Amino acid sequence: MGGNNSYEMAVRQLTEACSLLELERGICEVLKQPQRVIEVSVPLRLDNGEIRVFTGYRVQHNNARGPFKGGIRYHPELTLSEVKALAMWMTWKCAVVGIPFGGAKGGVAVNVKELSQAELERLTRTYTSRIMDFIGPERDIPAPDVYTNARVMAWIMDTYSAHVGYPVPAVVTGKPVEIGGAPGREAATGRGVATVARAAAERLGLSCRCAAVQGFGNVGYHSAKLLHEAGYRILAVSDSKGGIFCESGLKPEAVLEHKLKHGSVMGFPGAKEITNEELLSLEVDILVPAALERVITRRNADDVNAKMVVEGANGPVTPSADRILEERGVVVVPDILANAGGVTGSYFEWVQNRNGFYWSEERFNTELERVMSRSFEEVFSRAEREEISLRLAAYLLAVERVAKVRELRGIYE
Ligand code: NAD
């Protein structure tokens, strides 16, 4: 992953929006800094009896508009700078789609592929106990992110509930349905990606029929599956081990079955193997980077041959690459809009947990598509009116909304 560090990149995007909005300088300074940074040590006794110590984080960027909200990432190369950037992006994301949450992110610098299920459970419970005083349904609500899933959310919910003495489903979202998860949440980010991709293609008058997706986890798989269901040919998908390409199109469900059996999309029968770098330069209508940040940089932006890049991942395109793509006429649908279906679905889950009244999956999907389509239209019309990129339009909307609330609530010194 090249380019600047992620936090510098997030600050750069914010500063550009602040200068166009002519915000008071002090407000921009407030928004640049997370409200709270928590760093904890997470000791773990391995199954073989040895003790290892990992570093965990929770960064709470801003809660002007509602409780902090954001995923938990387990990745060996996780850094504080990355978590700070991801937390800030969550603040803007919630504001773009108009849901009453602030932004946070957390995680542990750990390679989950080296842990047993029992070790993963112990690590999750210890991490939860370390951040226990800072989370809660009214305070800060974690969710899944890279290399965490519904199973991990269940352990967080259980550990938190054990500490307070009663079940608290609303402390995390993305839980298994059996313990208060919402049917539809699992696919929500991908559904949002597919919804805005289709809306963008239509509004921009692009005839889009084929796509490539980098990353075949929660976001990548569901984006590919829903685009496929909408009639798109999925020419290529990839994971951390590499990619596969098939001119006549891949069936995402069959690829998932293969990945579950063999641990990777690689080796899928009838497909040609390609590198992640090659996937990014394929001639496709829609490219969905859905793995990690900073994969399209100044170094390879000229090689992108898609009509449109829809950011399933957070921060996959650096600001320098953004400029190159814009000059080359490649439309970028920004992360804070494109992948906001996840947090929108999380909001629906949280609302249901707090009401104790559960929706059908059909209602969940309809409400989600409504929020995503409305948000896309708001961003698109602002971009059109002010002749700016979709990213800048999304930032202007988001930062304006957060700054307005800050102004109404005032600065408590
Ligand atoms: P995940 O763990 O389910 O999947 C990640 C996928 O990326 C895996 O297939 C993995 O093999 C692949 N990957 C890892 N390193 C890679 C590399 N170097 N090159 C190519 N592929 C690589 O994670 P996820 O939840 O799907 O998250 C993916 C991205 O989407 C992240 O940027 C995350 O922050 C963002 N996101 C997730 C959600 C959500 O609801 N899960 C919501 C919004 C945004």
Side-chain angles (χ1 to χ4, degrees), residues 1 73 145 147 185 189 216-219 239-240 276 290-291 313-314:
M1 315 287 138
R73 178 174 294 194
D145 192 72
Y147 296 137
R185 169 60 185 93
T189 311
F216 204 65
N218 175 289
V219 181
D239 59 27
S240 61
N276 266 292
N314 287 305

Side-chain angles (χ1 to χ4, degrees), residues 131-153:
I131 60 165
M132 176 78 203
D133 291 341
F134 303 99
I135 60 172
E138 311 280 352
R139 199 167 279 177
D140 182 355
I141 307 129
D145 192 72
V146 176
Y147 296 137
T148 61
N149 55 21
R151 192 77 195 86
V152 172
M153 297 306 114

Side-chain angles (χ1 to χ4, degrees), residues 63-103:
N63 66 351
R65 300 181 62 261
F68 296 110
K69 183 89 189 81
I72 304 275
R73 178 174 294 194
Y74 288 169
H75 194 280
E77 281 146 39
L78 188 74
T79 62
L80 179 59
S81 145
E82 185 180 5
V83 184
K84 281 167 73 178
L86 290 161
M88 190 194 286
W89 288 329
M90 284 305 298
T91 302
W92 313 138
K93 196 178 298 183
C94 294
V96 168
V97 288
I99 57 174
F101 284 142

Side-chain angles (χ1 to χ4, degrees), residues 212-277:
V213 180
Q214 182 189 49
F216 204 65
N218 175 289
V219 181
Y221 167 66
H222 289 288
S223 300
K225 177 171 176 276
L226 289 158
L227 284 172
H228 180 252
E229 278 170 17
Y232 285 77
R233 220 157 18 104
I234 308 300
L235 290 188
V237 299
S238 70
D239 59 27
S240 61
K241 303 211 172 76
I244 52 170
F245 172 88
C246 178
E247 185 66 53
S248 59
L250 296 157
K251 289 204 174 75
E253 274 154 320
V255 178
L256 179 66
E257 207 173 295
H258 176 88
K259 182 172 165 78
L260 291 175
K261 215 183 281 168
H262 303 281
S264 171
V265 299
M266 300 295 274
F268 184 73
K272 183 177 141 214
E273 300 197 344
I274 56 172
T275 63
N276 266 292
E277 203 58 31

Side-chain angles (χ1 to χ4, degrees), residues 17 36 93 134 172 195 210 267 328 345 397 411:
R36 186 185 275 135
K93 196 178 298 183
F134 303 99
V172 285
T195 305
C210 65
R328 295 184 51 231
L397 267 176
I411 304 276

Side-chain angles (χ1 to χ4, degrees), residues 38-54:
I38 304 152
E39 182 174 323
V40 294
S41 74
V42 186
L44 171 70
R45 190 175 290 281
L46 302 178
D47 294 342
N48 67 8
E50 248 175 68
I51 297 175
R52 294 271 308 273
V53 183
F54 300 94

